[in-house]
């Protein structure tokens, strides 16, 4: 997964107006108590970050 696909999926899940703010502010324990942005900036693969986001948001299987 590329970064652009990660952001597209997050935009679809949370809406364009909220997704970037959420990714900068919501701390996910599974990502080492980092936000999605911090994890991506630290080099965590977008696919791994998306998997954690998917679980935290309890998105449907179709969004996995």
């Amino acid at each position: 997964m590329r970064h652009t696909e990660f952001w597209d999926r997050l935009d679809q899940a949370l809406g364009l107006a909220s997704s970037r703010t959420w990714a900068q502010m919501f701390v996910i324990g599974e990502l080492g108590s980092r936000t999605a942005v911090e994890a991506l900036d630290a080099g965590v693969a977008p696919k791994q970050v998306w998997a954690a986001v998917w679980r935290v948001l309890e998105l449907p299987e179709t969004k996995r």
Side-chain angles (χ1 to χ4, degrees), residues 4-59:
T4 53
E5 184 179 353
F6 169 84
W7 289 112
D8 286 346
R9 288 183 182 198
L10 194 60
D11 290 345
Q12 289 174 11
L14 296 176
L16 193 56
S18 306
S19 61
R20 306 299 165 133
T21 301
W22 185 91
Q24 292 174 341
M25 298 184 74
F26 192 87
V27 175
I28 302 172
E30 187 177 335
L31 297 175
S33 296
R34 295 181 284 197
T35 67
V37 170
E38 290 170 338
L40 291 169
D41 288 348
V44 178
K47 185 174 182 177
Q48 184 179 348
V49 177
W50 176 252
V53 168
W54 178 83
R55 283 189 282 280
V56 166
L57 293 177
E58 299 179 344
L59 296 172

